[in-house]
Amino acid sequence: MDQTKKKIKTNTITLLPPDTRVFVTLFNPYGEEAQKSLELSVNTTKEELQQILQSLVKTEEDQVYTFFHNNIELVDTLNQLIASDPEYKLENTFSLTYHPQSLFRIQPITRQTAALEGHEQPVLCVQFRTHGDVLATGSGDTTIRLWDMLTETPIATLKGHRNWVLCLAWSPDCKYIASGSHDGQVCIWDVETNQLKGQPLIGHTKWVTSIAWQPMHLDEECTLVASSSKDGSVRIWSRTSLSCLISINAHQKAITKMLWGGQGYIYTASEDTTIGVWNKSGKRVQELKGHGHWVNSIALHTDYTLRCACFSEGNIEINRKQAKVLYDKMLSGKNERLVSASDDQTLMLWEYTSSKPKVRMTGHQQQVNHVQFSPDGRYIVSASFDKSLRIWDGYNGNWIATLRGHVGSVYQVSWSSDSRYMLSASKDSTLKLWSLQKKKLAFDLPGHADEVYAVDWAPIGGEKAGSGGKDRRVKIWRH
Amino acid sequence: MPQHDYIELHQKRFGKRLDTEERARKKAARQPHELAEKAQNLKGLKAKMFNKERFKEKALMKKQMLAHEEKDIEVNVEDVKDGAVPTYLLDREQQQQSKVLTNMLKQKRQEKAGKWDVPIAKVKQMSEGEMFQVIESGKRKQKSWKRRINKVCFVPETFTRKPPKFERYIRPTGLRFKKANVTHPELQNYFQLAFIGCQEKSIICLIYYTWFLEVNVSELGLVTQTGKVIWSKYAQVTNNPELDGCINATLLV
């Protein structure tokens, strides 16, 4: 190491002379060392680092990476990045974390293109078909309506429920919709014919709180769907035989949210402050204890991958084999990470192997209502009744930023598929688009006349977002 | 009335008559006619007794018929309650918040119906004598250029008194208020809101019955259709604040 270094002053940044060499340690997104001391010149560019990474770590050919040091991105050369860290000394190794970058960019949503009328009661749940060509909305008027996104007109009204439709879920191959209502009935609809399959499935004694299909890579035919209810039980139904296979008495109190994870476990978040991890034969694998009040919402870092399992950009056909490949890549040998949001104003990061949380994330000042992992699993955004959203690191739970702007409780939040933007729906009747890079408000989207209850951004194709609320309108937004 | 069961005994021993069923049927068929004749032709005390019995019978019959009808009614979709909320709000008691009230159509419709007609008199004009109390000053109490304000007044934060020797209008500190109890006409909720000023931007800001205030409504979280946050609204005073010690007002939506 040359001790007689001359510092060249460029504006306010002090850069090291171009012939200095530094030792760099590469870390993978999980914080583990991928490669110890690499001796590099300070003028190494992003492209050169990319090539080095590709030769060291097994990566796909067209996967682009970005490099970070202390969450500051490498833009030009290593020199610039070093200059940004005043504490770095030449004797130490410089740590660089690499993250896979999404190849495509989604346009931010700026305007409303349609206000779809039809529902006679508040719209309670909204979900796009994975390809973003059909939007399904469930409402308090007991119907589910399907809207075509190309023409922004209605396709069909699915009648069959006898009370408010509280939740709905497209099957992984998007051929069926399962929906649950306020009287505890679950209906399975065949989307190709827009008809109810058989009869409504009876079994729950109180309202259905959430519905989840078994992931495609575990069952290519998508036969199993699970529903959770206020009565504390989880029922697994078979789509083909239209009967209840198992009823799991999971909790004493209501189950607020249930997810079917890719490793085969069912996660149930309950008002008894615990999260149960079950396998599909009804046996409890783990009980995650730690929260002090109701657990409102849970999310898995593989959520987006499971949703888009068999679909890909630009290809309408279903590729069932692809689901396993994509899932394994997202998991990359670790366990699924679960984040939970609770009424005790904290979030917790878990893995099903241990009943104690890995990280406890505090900061919100009121109940946290909704939490979502970004599609690449790097970030977590939480929406709370204290009118703010918070961004956290998806690997270690560190707080990154607080997003303020709403004047009423934030109800739901949805990510764009390239993990760059977040769309939040609030009680103050506006939706707001937030930029992750700038960590602030990008666009304000007013238009609803009353509270917005549900929002969804089309996963593949990501052009449109849909929202529904108390004013009974379904609004479509795009760039 | 048969005394003892000789009829049944005979029927057991020798069997029933061959036409008993038919005779019984015909007798039953005659009953409504006989009852009708009685009902129409009875008089006096017998009529009263008969009518009382009949009334009781009819009441019972009606109940039975309703009970039968209930079995036939199908479960209507109209039995579904209003006020659908998503799952995350179901177990919570939500405070009724003031909705976005600048929806043009809704406003127009309701203005026509006069739903928001507040029972307050129109703005009163106050005379000077009511508003100000003449204060005499000077060694012989002959100078009367000073006035004390009788009504509640609003003083902005940047207010500083003139030197006491020269100030014409005295604003008693007991009559200076910053907050008002504002009712929302639709929701009947009270909010304590700080007020910003009066309708007329004059030097003296007096508040009295039927006058208008501008209040800070940012904590209600109202938003216009275009997305701008509403932070101030007008409210009309509904009491006599100088007599009551507090300002009650209704929000003008």
Side-chain angles (χ1 to χ4, degrees):
Chain A
M1 237 13 125
D2 191 8
Q3 290 300 314
T4 58
K5 48 188 187 286
K6 288 176 256 176
K7 295 235 171 183
I8 309 160
K9 291 209 174 174
T10 343
N11 300 328
T12 48
I13 313 166
T14 49
L15 293 175
L16 299 167
D19 52 349
T20 354
R21 296 184 79 78
V22 287
F23 285 105
V24 170
T25 317
L26 278 175
F27 290 93
N28 74 0
Y30 284 93
E32 292 156 7
E33 278 182 11
Q35 181 65 35
K36 279 201 176 174
S37 333
L38 285 168
E39 201 182 327
L40 297 170
S41 154
V42 281
N43 276 336
T44 326
T45 59
K46 206 160 63 168
E47 289 75 29
E48 287 165 11
L49 271 170
Q50 174 89 15
Q51 282 175 359
I52 294 168
L53 188 67
Q54 274 174 348
S55 59
L56 288 171
V57 181
K58 266 193 204 161
T59 61
E60 277 181 23
E61 280 194 14
D62 42 355
Q63 180 69 274
V64 183
Y65 288 89
T66 44
F67 299 88
F68 289 80
H69 171 76
N70 288 351
N71 283 329
I72 307 170
E73 196 179 335
L74 169 65
V75 183
D76 302 319
T77 61
L78 209 54
N79 218 343
Q80 301 274 13
L81 201 60
I82 293 172
S84 69
D85 185 1
E87 292 175 356
Y88 173 70
K89 293 179 193 164
L90 273 175
E91 301 90 55
N92 304 338
T93 53
F94 193 70
S95 64
L96 264 186
T97 319
Y98 66 85
H99 282 281
Q101 177 102 2
S102 51
L103 293 169
F104 53 98
R105 266 186 183 269
I106 301 277
Q107 301 267 39
I109 290 208
T110 54
R111 65 194 171 98
Q112 182 191 319
T113 55
L116 303 167
E117 286 185 19
H119 277 300
E120 290 145 31
Q121 292 285 327
V123 179
L124 302 177
C125 46
V126 145
Q127 213 186 20
F128 273 96
R129 191 193 219 166
T130 311
H131 250 293
D133 50 352
V134 176
L135 179 65
T137 57
S139 151
D141 66 359
T142 76
T143 61
I144 299 173
R145 280 169 200 259
L146 298 177
W147 313 87
D148 174 42
M149 283 297 105
L150 200 61
T151 54
E152 289 172 359
T153 52
I155 299 176
T157 305
L158 307 174
K159 292 188 191 171
H161 274 295
R162 306 235 298 258
N163 214 313
W164 312 340
V165 179
L166 288 175
C167 48
L168 59 86
W170 288 85
S171 67
D173 57 2
C174 289
K175 292 204 168 145
Y176 302 95
I177 297 179
S179 56
S181 78
H182 193 69
D183 54 5
Q185 288 182 353
V186 172
C187 286
I188 300 186
W189 311 85
D190 184 343
V191 182
E192 269 148 36
T193 56
N194 291 332
Q195 293 292 326
L196 175 62
K197 278 206 79 172
Q199 291 295 313
L201 304 167
I202 307 174
H204 283 296
T205 52
K206 291 198 190 156
W207 64 77
V208 180
T209 51
S210 65
I211 301 237
W213 289 83
Q214 190 180 29
M216 177 166 264
H217 64 263
L218 294 175
D219 170 16
E220 282 189 6
E221 294 305 311
C222 312
T223 45
L224 295 184
V225 60
S227 63
S228 70
S229 158
K230 169 140 169 83
D231 63 10
S233 70
V234 171
R235 278 175 183 260
I236 303 183
W237 313 86
S238 157
R239 167 183 64 80
T240 43
S241 69
L242 290 177
S243 60
C244 178
L245 296 181
I246 297 185
S247 166
I248 310 172
N249 286 334
H251 293 272
Q252 295 282 53
K253 291 200 183 166
I255 299 178
T256 50
K257 182 107 175 111
M258 181 221 19
L259 289 177
W260 203 322
Q263 289 178 300
Y265 300 114
I266 297 178
Y267 300 88
T268 55
S270 165
E271 280 179 9
D272 67 2
T273 79
T274 64
I275 302 167
V277 185
W278 312 82
N279 64 16
K280 72 169 200 269
S281 56
K283 194 166 154 247
R284 187 164 77 183
V285 172
Q286 192 68 257
E287 191 183 17
L288 309 175
K289 283 192 246 191
H291 276 298
H293 210 298
W294 300 354
V295 186
N296 288 329
S297 170
I298 43 176
L300 288 169
H301 86 274
T302 48
D303 267 342
Y304 178 80
T305 319
L306 290 172
R307 190 176 175 191
C308 306
C310 54
F311 297 94
S312 53
E313 186 90 30
N315 187 5
I316 312 174
E317 275 127 43
I318 303 173
N319 179 355
R320 290 176 202 264
K321 309 289 173 194
Q322 181 194 288
K324 181 100 180 105
V325 175
L326 283 179
Y327 181 71
D328 284 336
K329 190 173 147 199
M330 192 67 190
L331 210 50
S332 50
K334 311 264 173 188
N335 285 320
E336 273 180 329
R337 283 170 275 138
L338 177 80
V339 66
S340 60
S342 163
D343 260 18
D344 66 1
Q345 303 168 14
T346 63
L347 292 101
M348 294 201 185
L349 206 56
W350 316 79
E351 266 182 28
Y352 80 90
T353 45
S354 152
S355 76
K356 293 259 186 302
K358 278 173 61 183
V359 190
R360 192 161 168 264
M361 296 129 83
T362 56
H364 275 296
Q365 277 137 4
Q366 281 197 40
Q367 302 96 308
V368 193
N369 197 40
H370 195 217
V371 71
Q372 285 273 56
F373 261 100
S374 66
D376 56 6
R378 271 177 73 183
Y379 299 101
I380 296 168
V381 70
S382 56
S384 159
F385 282 3
D386 69 359
K387 309 173 195 164
S388 72
L389 291 106
R390 278 172 193 255
I391 311 178
W392 316 81
D393 185 290
Y395 295 102
N396 51 28
N398 290 339
W399 171 85
I400 293 177
T402 306
L403 304 171
R404 294 189 204 276
H406 277 296
V407 292
S409 317
V410 192
Y411 283 155
Q412 300 274 48
V413 70
S414 176
W415 285 90
S416 69
S417 41
D418 64 350
S419 309
R420 275 180 241 258
Y421 289 104
M422 291 154 278
L423 197 56
S424 60
S426 157
K427 190 177 185 175
D428 67 3
S429 80
T430 60
L431 282 117
K432 291 199 195 310
L433 188 77
W434 310 87
S435 156
L436 182 65
Q437 288 164 323
K438 297 182 190 162
K439 302 193 178 53
K440 57 178 198 178
L441 182 65
F443 285 99
D444 201 1
L445 303 165
H448 273 287
D450 213 333
E451 307 179 17
V452 190
Y453 285 148
V455 70
D456 190 28
W457 201 322
I460 292 185
E463 276 182 353
K464 298 197 177 178
S467 63
K470 203 168 170 185
D471 62 348
R472 313 184 304 273
R473 300 280 177 275
V474 176
K475 291 196 191 276
I476 311 294
W477 313 80
R478 59 171 301 166
H479 177 65
Chain B
M1 296 296 119
Q3 290 185 344
H4 236 282
D5 47 356
Y6 66 90
I7 302 175
E8 279 85 13
L9 213 58
H10 183 274
Q11 283 180 347
K12 260 197 206 169
R13 285 181 186 154
F14 305 107
K16 288 193 177 178
R17 278 177 73 152
L18 295 165
D19 52 0
T20 38
E21 276 90 39
E22 189 164 333
R23 289 175 80 221
R25 180 183 63 81
K26 288 185 111 176
K27 189 169 189 184
R30 286 194 293 272
Q31 286 304 320
H33 294 286
E34 287 176 17
L35 272 178
E37 208 202 311
K38 272 195 193 175
Q40 288 168 21
N41 299 330
L42 272 179
K43 297 213 186 346
L45 180 65
K46 283 189 187 173
K48 277 190 191 174
M49 285 163 62
F50 179 81
N51 287 336
K52 200 173 177 185
E53 293 288 326
R54 190 97 165 121
F55 182 75
K56 283 185 202 167
E57 266 173 46
K58 276 194 171 178
L60 263 175
M61 258 199 309
K62 265 192 186 173
K63 275 190 196 169
Q64 273 188 342
M65 279 166 67
L66 264 176
H68 282 298
E69 266 175 37
E70 259 183 29
K71 282 189 205 168
D72 298 334
I73 293 175
E74 286 166 352
V75 177
N76 291 347
V77 186
E78 276 84 288
D79 286 333
V80 173
K81 279 181 270 175
D82 268 343
V85 273
T87 51
Y88 48 85
L89 292 178
L90 270 172
D91 274 335
R92 298 184 195 277
E93 294 159 9
Q94 286 278 299
Q95 245 195 350
Q96 245 205 331
Q97 288 288 316
S98 35
K99 290 193 261 183
V100 177
L101 295 160
T102 50
N103 189 331
M104 295 305 289
L105 256 171
K106 215 170 143 192
Q107 252 189 338
K108 278 190 197 159
R109 218 185 298 141
Q110 275 165 328
E111 268 166 36
K112 279 190 208 163
K115 251 196 206 175
W116 294 336
D117 276 347
V118 183
I120 310 175
K122 291 196 178 158
V123 181
K124 277 191 200 167
Q125 285 299 321
M126 293 252 136
S127 66
E128 274 219 6
E130 276 183 14
M131 288 197 279
F132 305 122
Q133 164 87 37
V134 177
I135 301 234
E136 279 147 10
S137 54
K139 201 174 187 182
R140 286 166 190 86
K141 302 279 179 216
Q142 280 177 337
K143 299 187 181 211
S144 48
W145 54 272
K146 283 195 182 173
R147 300 279 181 278
R148 189 186 69 217
I149 295 178
N150 272 341
K151 304 281 176 190
V152 164
C153 51
F154 169 70
V155 285
E157 275 177 21
T158 51
F159 174 72
T160 41
R161 285 171 64 187
K162 270 183 163 178
K165 193 172 182 186
F166 300 113
E167 66 179 343
R168 183 164 180 212
Y169 295 107
I170 300 172
R171 295 171 179 73
T173 47
L175 293 180
R176 296 186 200 174
F177 286 99
K178 288 189 184 160
K179 292 207 166 184
N181 301 324
V182 182
T183 357
H184 198 286
E186 268 202 348
L187 309 171
Q188 304 297 318
N189 282 4
Y190 275 92
F191 303 101
Q192 261 227 334
L193 301 173
F195 54 89
I196 304 165
C198 294
Q199 206 189 28
E200 282 172 19
K201 313 269 179 203
S202 50
I203 304 168
I204 310 170
C205 187
L206 289 183
I207 295 155
Y208 51 88
Y209 182 53
T210 72
W211 197 240
F212 294 101
L213 298 175
E214 225 184 310
V215 279
N216 183 343
V217 293
S218 51
E219 64 174 56
L220 297 180
L222 300 170
V223 177
T224 61
Q225 281 279 15
T226 50
K228 300 206 176 95
V229 181
I230 301 171
W231 62 275
S232 91
K233 268 198 176 294
Y234 282 114
Q236 190 173 28
V237 178
T238 54
N239 70 336
N240 287 311
E242 69 273 7
L243 300 174
D244 295 333
C246 63
I247 308 176
N248 295 340
T250 37
L251 204 60
L252 295 172
V253 287

